[in-house]
Amino acid sequence: MNLFSSLFGSGNLSPEWSYTASGIVWRLLFTARGRIVGESRDQEKKTASFFCLDEESGRCLWQDLRVDEAWWVGMEGVQEDTLLLHGFSSPDMPEHRGIRAYDVETGNLLWRNDEATCWFGTGARLFAYRDLFERRVGYEIDLRSGEVKTTYDQSLQELHEIRRRAAADYVPEVTLPEILNEESAEPSTVAFVKRVTKGKDVAGNIEFIQQDDVIAFNYHVRAQAAKTQPPVFENHLFVYELSRDKRVFSEIIGRALKAQVPDAFFLRKGKLFYIKDQTTLKALRVWK
């Protein structure tokens, strides 16, 4: 059987689950054990919070995790079963500083280090650094305890080599959409999407993901707005089964947008994930 056999049958698809965050979904990370860790931001209140979902069912394990710095905090990454957050050197400086490590399953704080900055990690080993006067010092930190195992204050060459090997082994966790053009897609795919969108007031790029006989794509159209006001946009998402020329899913995933929103959907393990109205994550089973 084809790995990406269609699940469509004769009916249309509908999302398996959805989760609405407390603000704009800013960033999503996946763990090897099937958890989704998300960062959401309320831009009016200037607050950031974090949540964790089960990837398969959408069940919320925990949410509204906040730290003492309401806004100037972000996700550094997820390593093994540990969420790493960072702060900033100062509100007007983009450099990261500080590490907070949380257990992904519970959201409980494991440890914090306010002086070091995350560099990279592999397995249960986290590597960090501090910039001192005219030199940088490296550290190997136990991921779960925060204990400094080794300090590298003479040379960082060994750490550069470890980082190079870790980068070589990296496998992307999701497939992001590409901009539809003659270089990124087959001519038949380009012709198909052009036919579907013919007559639409498409603004900006069309993005797509295609695997085998299925294509998911989105485009923005200009919505009705007063001539004296800046234009606003709607973001339309479609899924088609190409061999049958059949639309099996469609939804307006953004309304009254002040700008076009890229990367509003992505593919992981046969599921199409998309963010509706910038606050709601939905999962759609498209491929086996």
Side-chain angles (χ1 to χ4, degrees), residues 101-169:
Y102 293 84
D103 180 74
V104 166
E105 292 298 305
T106 64
N108 293 335
L109 178 68
L110 298 173
W111 56 270
R112 65 183 290 179
N113 184 320
D114 294 331
E115 299 301 325
T117 299
C118 279
W119 190 359
F120 68 96
T122 178
R125 306 164 72 194
L126 176 67
F127 294 92
Y129 68 87
R130 285 186 65 190
D131 285 326
L132 304 179
F133 182 68
E134 294 187 342
R135 67 190 180 102
R136 173 170 288 185
V137 177
Y139 305 96
E140 179 186 336
I141 299 175
D142 183 271
L143 182 62
R144 298 296 286 184
S145 70
E147 177 187 357
V148 176
K149 309 292 286 187
T150 308
T151 300
Y152 298 84
D153 55 2
Q154 298 300 317
S155 171
L156 299 180
Q157 186 58 41
E158 181 180 349
L159 298 190
H160 285 299
E161 179 59 25
I162 295 172
R163 187 187 186 197
R164 185 193 65 78
R165 294 197 300 267
D169 294 335

Side-chain angles (χ1 to χ4, degrees), residues 41-48 69-72:
R41 292 186 173 268
D42 187 320
Q43 294 183 301
E44 292 185 0
K45 296 180 180 179
K46 296 297 181 185
T47 58
E69 170 49 63
W71 182 251
W72 295 103

